Amino acid sequence: MPHPVPLLSAGQTAAALPYPALADEIAALLAEPGVEVPPRMVMPLAGQGSLFVMPSTDGRLAVTKLITFTPANVGSARPTIQGDVVVFEVASGERRLIIDGPTVTARRTAAVSLLAARRLAPKPDGPLLIIGAGVQGRAHLDAFVDGLGTGQVRIASRSPASARALIDHARSRGLDAQPAFDLRRALDECPLVVTATPASGVVLDGTPRADAFIAAVGAFTPQMVELSPALCHDIAARGAIVVDTRDADHEAGDLLQAGMDVKAIPELARVIREDWPRPQGPVLFKSCGWAGWDLAAARLALHAAG
């Protein structure tokens, strides 16, 4: 009789994926030659929703994330991302673990930004500006606190209630947390910046500090955008742009709408494998998502589950 497959709740999944350890696992995965990640399948659904099917394997495990993205749920009690990550053992074909898809998505996205900040941020101790106070805003706040020791944060959101909730959460963790009403001023004051909005329009413009690190995670299709073209070109001229994977070549809306040659921009794996020094000048890390991050999360969660 087959053994029951462990099914981790959202809380159990989060506990199995501490941000610093997850960032380390992602770095280890990027250094491995045998990881295979085919293009994700995205099927449009009614109401501007999407069904994502995202497989990956390292030869030992085969992982598939199956989630829905439902923009109509914004502002409601229902999450915009729902689904699961199923983990199989390649040798036997057996299911080994099922973990919560939205939790994996939130934590691995923030852990990738943490990894990039560890390697690329000119001034990784902050203060931190977060634009967008939803799930990803909170995940990035916790990741940067846990992994970088961030102590000061400024929060901007179109929703005052969401901003207040994230500020309260930050203060509960002992942070100096304040609202950011003037983004130009906040951009001048904060060397760490995260944009994690629904990406329906430009939310960040202006001239970043010379020691700025911006992680732009909200836009993951060619039509989505958070950063102005002028800001993207300014960073390219004064500093460096890095994308998470080559999938960004056709998904990085911020860069594509700025008319940039995304294929010429280096990806995070190259930074890890070549052990880049910290760049001089401001850095933009453009993240679009990749099933390899889910594989790293699955490996860490399986280890935690025993």
Side-chain angles (χ1 to χ4, degrees), residues 150-167:
T150 301
Q152 293 180 286
V153 62
R154 302 295 177 258
I155 308 294
S157 173
R158 292 181 299 181
S159 166
S162 295
R164 174 52 58 188
L166 188 55
I167 289 170

Side-chain angles (χ1 to χ4, degrees), residues 168-243:
D168 289 345
H169 171 68
R171 289 175 177 171
S172 76
R173 299 207 54 184
L175 274 67
D176 170 7
Q178 303 293 336
F181 298 114
D182 185 337
L183 287 181
R184 293 288 182 105
R185 179 177 178 182
L187 193 60
D188 287 341
E189 295 174 349
C190 297
L192 295 178
V193 182
V194 172
T195 60
T197 74
S200 57
V202 171
V203 295
L204 189 63
D205 194 5
T207 303
R209 296 163 48 123
D211 58 0
F213 171 85
I214 300 175
V217 304
F220 54 87
T221 73
Q223 296 76 31
M224 302 173 83
V225 65
E226 295 183 302
L227 311 178
S228 74
L231 183 145
C232 295
H233 284 285
D234 175 71
I235 293 179
R238 293 192 295 131
I241 300 178
V242 173
V243 296

